[in-house]
Amino acid sequence: MRFEISKVLDAIEGRVCTDPSLARAVLDLAEVIRYQDLDGGRPANLLRLGMVIDALSRQLEEDSVPVYAVVHRALLSDADLTSNERMVVRRWADDGLVEVLDNPGDRMLEVADLLGLPVLTRGRLDGLRGRYPWVAEQPGRVVAPVPGQGGPAFVAHVGNGTTPVEGTPSPVGAQLLARKWRCPESGCALFGGGGGGGAFADLAAVDRAPAGQPPPTLRNGVPTCPRHGARLGDAGPRPRTQVLAVSVGGMVRRRFVLSADEPVLVGRAPEQAGGITLGQWLNDEARRWISRSHVQFELRAGEVVVTDVSTNGSGIRPGGSMDEADRLPLNPRQSRILDGGDMVELYPGVQVGRPGELASGAPITPASVMAEAPTMAMRLPNN
């Protein structure tokens, strides 16, 4: 059972991030792990985060949906969690996958405001509506995870919606995300070079690129490191980025960030660091057709350029058209600038493009991070 729980926690780890381009919602981890009514189990359980992430994936109809988790530092030593769960949260903190704060305050809403993210919370936010008017004005912007048939569901704080709704990033957020920031604290996992300097720093998997930095917190209008409370230094303009997504079988399987300073390879199993691996979602025929590294994406002067680096070639779906008469061949070693709605087709049913262009109208069931969770694990006492 311990092995199964570890596999689930590893799967959940792949769905937490502080990258403003990839996070789809923001939540308070200390709150979510105490949603005891979701499973009727022990007072606090880290697996409940996986249940809420699964619910978000179902509502957004996407695989691999990440959340931005704000964490009270006290959670790192919370006796209601198991020793293994505490170790996992500390590792996430040292990797910069979650944002650890001595006093989170309204940081969850600040992140949502700066990035335009929906908020997943049951908390009462009446006292914060003056600072964040959208809390009361935008239906679906704040939703509460509640027990539902077949798993958690969402109920909007405002309106009758059940789906978390993204807003528009604030102008201040856009200004902050246009710059790179540097924390004076050595080894800062959020605004340093990766690895937080904690007990698990030597295991840290995050070598944070500037494009993936979270938004600073503002204290008296000054960009500040939320974890260390130190004033951040301006390290220059942030590289331009573009979010792309991979769709296999009509479902968006994952999103990735393309930045101006580094190309990204997509294929069956790219060997280069940062490559997007598709093999786990492909059938046998697709695996035979798609090369290990099949296409390369670059961001040049704000334009997305795709180059076929495969053996068999690819295709372009102009404007997202699925009409075969419109499909354009992309031969090996050939490059093309993608217009707004264009999709790159590596194989029938395997496309890469901007997320909004890849949405499918068919009902889909995203993969669950809780697929291998033993039911009894939710009820076992702490150890």
Side-chain angles (χ1 to χ4, degrees):
M1 183 178 294
R2 288 181 183 273
F3 176 70
E4 292 171 327
I5 294 173
S6 294
K7 288 182 66 176
V8 174
L9 291 176
D10 287 344
I12 294 173
E13 182 171 317
R15 303 285 191 90
V16 290
C17 79
T18 53
D19 189 325
S21 298
L22 296 179
R24 306 298 303 282
V26 59
L27 52 79
D28 182 338
L29 184 60
E31 175 189 346
V32 169
I33 65 169
R34 296 186 183 278
Y35 290 160
Q36 197 170 2
D37 57 356
L38 294 184
D39 53 58
R42 51 190 175 87
N45 196 319
L46 192 56
L47 296 185
R48 290 178 190 135
L49 174 60
M51 299 175 70
V52 172
I53 290 173
D54 276 355
L56 183 63
S57 285
R58 289 194 299 270
Q59 286 293 327
L60 299 181
E61 296 188 331
E62 281 192 28
D63 251 351
S64 306
V65 172
V67 296
Y68 191 121
V70 174
V71 181
H72 196 295
R73 189 178 299 277
L75 194 66
L76 305 183
S77 57
D78 193 327
D80 285 338
L81 292 175
T82 67
S83 58
N84 185 50
E85 288 173 328
R86 292 193 295 271
M87 180 187 70
V88 167
V89 176
R90 287 195 294 269
R91 186 178 71 235
W92 294 353
D94 288 339
D95 282 1
L97 297 177
V98 298
E99 191 174 290
V100 177
L101 308 171
D102 290 327
N103 181 18
D106 65 348
R107 175 60 175 168
M108 178 174 62
L109 291 184
E110 181 185 41
V111 170
D113 184 66
L114 294 173
L115 303 184
L117 295 177
V119 180
L120 312 182
T121 182
R122 296 181 184 177
R124 295 187 61 84
L125 306 178
D126 297 349
L128 297 170
R129 293 183 176 185
R131 183 175 179 184
Y132 305 107
W134 47 264
V135 168
E137 296 171 357
Q138 297 182 14
R141 188 69 186 279
V142 182
V143 296
V146 297
Q149 186 175 7
F154 296 108
V155 174
H157 284 223
V158 177
N160 300 316
T162 59
T163 300
V165 177
E166 293 184 356
T168 302
S170 72
V172 174
Q175 294 174 11
L176 291 173
L177 295 180
R179 311 297 297 177
K180 294 186 292 186
W181 303 98
R182 183 64 62 179
C183 179
E185 292 290 330
S186 175
C188 177
L190 301 179
F191 298 97
F200 298 93
D202 59 328
L203 302 178
V206 174
D207 185 10
R208 185 171 300 281
Q213 286 186 342
T217 189
L218 289 175
R219 295 189 180 176
N220 299 318
V222 177
T224 303
C225 176
R227 180 166 185 174
H228 297 109
R231 180 171 182 162
L232 295 173
D234 188 333
R238 188 181 301 221
R240 299 182 69 167
T241 61
Q242 174 66 57
V243 177
L244 298 177
V246 175
S247 174
V248 180
M251 181 189 298
V252 174
R253 296 294 183 172
R254 65 164 292 179
R255 300 183 180 205
F256 64 94
V257 180
L258 179 65
S259 68
D261 54 0
E262 187 174 2
V264 174
L265 287 166
V266 179
R268 188 180 72 249
E271 296 180 352
Q272 291 81 352
I276 307 301
T277 300
L278 309 181
Q280 66 269 34
W281 299 306
L282 304 178
N283 59 32
D284 290 343
E285 290 185 2
R287 288 177 64 87
R288 284 191 292 269
W289 179 269
I290 296 176
S291 299
R292 290 181 65 88
S293 293
H294 199 95
V295 288
Q296 175 179 277
F297 291 90
E298 299 174 89
L299 194 59
R300 302 178 190 169
E303 294 183 312
V304 178
V305 178
V306 59
T307 301
D308 188 288
V309 294
S310 73
T311 301
N312 295 316
S314 310
I316 302 293
R317 295 284 184 180
S321 171
M322 299 308 292
D323 189 330
E324 288 303 315
D326 295 332
R327 187 179 187 273
L328 302 174
L330 186 68
N331 299 318
R333 309 307 165 188
Q334 184 179 3
S335 297
R336 179 184 173 91
I337 297 174
L338 298 183
D339 292 331
D342 290 353
M343 296 189 305
V344 180
E345 188 170 65
L346 286 69
Y347 180 83
V350 182
Q351 291 103 13
V352 180
R354 290 172 174 83
E357 306 299 328
L358 295 174
S360 170
I364 60 175
T365 304
S368 170
V369 297
M370 300 293 292
E372 299 190 48
T375 304
M376 285 301 297
M378 310 302 291
R379 294 179 166 80
L380 290 176
N382 297 1
N383 51 36

